[in-house]
Amino acid sequence: MKASGINGQLELSGDLLLIKREGILAKAAFFGKGEKAVKVDALSSVEFKQAGWLSRGFIHFVFPGSKTLGGNVDAASKNENAVIFSKKQQADFEALHGELLQRMSR
């Protein structure tokens, strides 16, 4: 399962969540940092904010040792464990979020 956002991409592969930074904007925002892999069972929470018609949404992952988020899109744009998305991209992120919640509850 995959979702592509404004500043990164997510891929749910087996028991791993991959956070990727492909594309010029994503690489510039995170100084060329590559891929991050997090085991789904290591996630302690997932914060999801829906996009509006004029605003962007985000998904943020919390696990031991990760930085907390201030709760808004500006903070998410600077957090390496968050990906921002538009209203057009939201359906893929909602599906991935739902699947993650199911896996985390097992």
Side-chain angles (χ1 to χ4, degrees), residues 33-70:
K33 288 185 179 178
E35 185 174 289
K36 177 182 264 189
V38 180
K39 291 189 94 178
V40 172
D41 62 1
L43 293 171
S44 52
S45 68
V46 179
E47 182 179 2
F48 187 87
K49 181 180 182 303
Q50 291 189 343
W53 290 109
L54 300 174
S55 63
R56 295 177 173 163
F58 65 86
I59 188 166
H60 173 243
F61 307 99
V62 179
F63 49 89
S66 67
K67 296 177 184 176
T68 58
L69 185 63

Side-chain angles (χ1 to χ4, degrees), residues 10-105:
L10 300 175
E11 183 177 340
L12 192 53
S13 179
D15 66 342
L16 290 178
L17 171 68
L18 304 173
I19 304 171
K20 301 178 181 183
R21 303 297 175 180
E22 297 172 354
I24 294 171
L25 290 177
K27 287 182 180 179
F30 292 94
F31 309 106
K33 288 185 179 178
E35 185 174 289
K36 177 182 264 189
V38 180
K39 291 189 94 178
V40 172
D41 62 1
L43 293 171
S44 52
S45 68
V46 179
E47 182 179 2
F48 187 87
K49 181 180 182 303
Q50 291 189 343
W53 290 109
L54 300 174
S55 63
R56 295 177 173 163
F58 65 86
I59 188 166
H60 173 243
F61 307 99
V62 179
F63 49 89
S66 67
K67 296 177 184 176
T68 58
L69 185 63
N72 60 39
V73 174
D74 185 50
S77 71
K78 298 172 185 137
N79 189 296
E80 65 185 26
N81 301 317
V83 176
I84 298 170
F85 53 86
S86 68
K87 187 74 172 170
K88 285 182 178 181
Q89 298 165 321
Q90 183 166 297
D92 290 340
F93 283 89
E94 286 175 330
L96 192 137
H97 178 238
E99 179 64 24
L100 269 176
L101 291 180
Q102 284 183 1
R103 290 184 188 193
M104 289 170 65
S105 68

